[in-house]
Structures are given as structure tokens and as C-alpha cells.
Amino acid sequence: MTLRYYAAAQAAAGRAEESLSAPDGASLADALEAALAVVRVPVSAGPGAPPLAEVLRRCSFLVNEVAVRDRAGVLADGDEGDVLPPFAGG
């Protein structure tokens, strides 16, 4: 699965995108746990950059461009996910 990070999630992850391998039957929650296990935030993220786990608690998610509310849903090989922190503005 490809997981794309936006805004605060990108800053916390230290990258814009992550390629994850997940076993058959893996869920979005499993993919997020795998992302947390491999994230190494670079020094360039700067002091005070929020930890990814903290940011993920506030995020919305898309899988294949469809909003997902249940993180337990099973993913398929080749799925693409987007991690969307809260946005402000209009």
C-alpha cells in the first residue's frame, strides 16, 4: 500500500509518501501501525514537530480516494491511502 501524508502529517512523518507491505487481511489500522514503526523523523523536521502518532489521532483518511471512517476495513494489494490532518480556512 502507498500511504501519502499531507500538511502536519507530512511534517510529523518527515516524508510525503510511504510504501508499506502488509499481509493479506491487513486493515488501515494495521497500515498506520506499520507506518509508525518505520517513521524516523529527520532533524530537518525541527524541534517541536509533533510525533506522527499524535497527528494520526486527529486525521481523516481516504483509501483509493474514498473517505474511510472505520480503520478496521480490510485493504487490498495496491490500495492508496491519504492521511489528512484537520485543515482550516475556506
Side-chain angles (χ1 to χ4, degrees), residues 21-66:
S21 57
D24 288 341
S27 66
L28 178 58
D30 296 329
L32 296 173
E33 285 297 320
L36 288 172
V38 298
V39 167
R40 292 175 193 85
V41 179
V43 174
S44 62
L52 184 57
E54 179 183 326
V55 173
L56 291 178
R57 284 193 288 275
R58 299 184 311 248
C59 288
S60 299
F61 303 93
L62 302 177
V63 173
N64 300 325
E65 301 181 3
V66 176

